[in-house]
């Protein structure tokens, strides 16, 4: 009986050990992916700085911005073309297609003045806000930041 118990405990120990090691590998691999992403974009910023002859101060600011934003950028990457094909295609159920626009960006996208079509007797096509949502990029601004001036290009 003792031998069976010991063999059983060794087997359980081996399984628990493999689960723990697997978790550790996943964490290390995830942090390596973030480090690689930050390194790639830092090199890009440095190349831009060399090309444009930026000083050390602006370069340092850009590097800080990259390292602070990289985790957000990495977690929000997806294949936009494939998602576009899902939206345009006939695969998505009409009920889902009709409900999604009201939920985009917590409902703020369709309540924007850009989509005020009901006042003109027009119905908002459900795919329009979804397609626009694929193209927009969420940005954060501080009070007093100049975002857009008259006669500026929008891109």
């Amino acid at each position: 009986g003792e031998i069976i118990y010991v063999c059983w405990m060794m087997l359980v120990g081996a399984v628990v050990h493999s689960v723990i090691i697997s978790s550790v590998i996943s964490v290390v691999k995830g942090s390596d992916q973030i480090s690689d992403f930050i390194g790639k974009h830092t090199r890009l910023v440095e190349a831009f700085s060399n090309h444009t002859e930026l000083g050390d101060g602006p370069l340092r600011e850009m590097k800080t911005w990259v390292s602070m934003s990289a985790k957000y950028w990495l977690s929000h990457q997806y294949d936009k073309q494939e998602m576009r094909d899902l939206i345009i295609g006939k695969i998505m159920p009409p009920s889902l297609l009709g409900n999604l626009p009201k939920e985009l960006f917590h409902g703020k996208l369709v309540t924007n003045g850009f989509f005020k079509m009901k006042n003109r007797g027009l119905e908002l096509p459900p795919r329009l806000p979804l397609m626009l949502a694929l193209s927009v990029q969420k940005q954060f601004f501080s009070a007093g930041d100049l975002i857009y001036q008259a006669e500026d290009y929008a891109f």
Side-chain angles (χ1 to χ4, degrees):
E2 291 176 7
I3 293 176
I4 294 173
Y5 174 76
V6 168
C7 288
W8 176 251
M9 290 308 291
M10 287 179 66
L11 184 63
V12 169
V15 169
V16 169
H17 181 264
S18 66
V19 167
I20 292 171
I21 292 299
S22 173
S23 297
V24 168
I25 289 171
S26 295
V27 168
V28 169
K29 193 174 184 181
S31 66
D32 282 349
Q33 186 179 16
I34 292 171
S35 298
D36 291 345
F37 188 82
I38 290 172
K40 176 185 171 192
H41 285 79
T42 300
R43 287 188 298 277
L44 180 67
V45 163
E46 287 172 346
F48 174 76
S49 174
N50 288 337
H51 172 72
T52 58
E53 300 175 3
L54 280 177
D56 290 340
L59 175 60
R60 208 173 14 259
E61 285 182 48
M62 288 178 72
K63 284 182 177 181
T64 302
W65 168 65
V66 165
S67 63
M68 300 285 285
S69 304
K71 195 170 186 177
Y72 176 82
W73 294 339
L74 193 59
S75 67
H76 288 79
Q77 285 185 339
Y78 62 96
D79 188 344
K80 291 181 182 182
Q81 182 61 42
E82 194 169 334
M83 190 63 210
R84 180 186 171 280
D85 293 344
L86 280 176
I87 292 168
I88 290 177
K90 304 212 183 286
I91 300 170
M92 193 177 293
S95 59
L96 180 60
L97 191 60
N99 290 333
L100 281 178
K102 295 177 273 200
E103 301 297 326
L104 297 170
F105 299 103
H106 304 287
K108 293 179 183 174
L109 185 63
V110 292
T111 58
N112 187 299
F114 183 75
F115 290 116
K116 297 291 182 192
M117 299 175 78
K118 288 201 177 211
N119 297 344
R120 297 182 201 117
L122 300 171
E123 190 66 32
L124 180 66
R127 285 185 172 90
L128 178 62
L130 293 171
M131 295 301 290
L132 184 64
L134 283 174
S135 300
V136 298
Q137 180 73 28
K138 190 173 185 178
Q139 298 290 325
F140 300 96
F141 299 100
S142 300
D145 284 353
L146 183 61
I147 299 166
Y148 187 77
Q149 283 185 308
E151 300 181 22
D152 273 353
Y153 288 108
F155 48 90

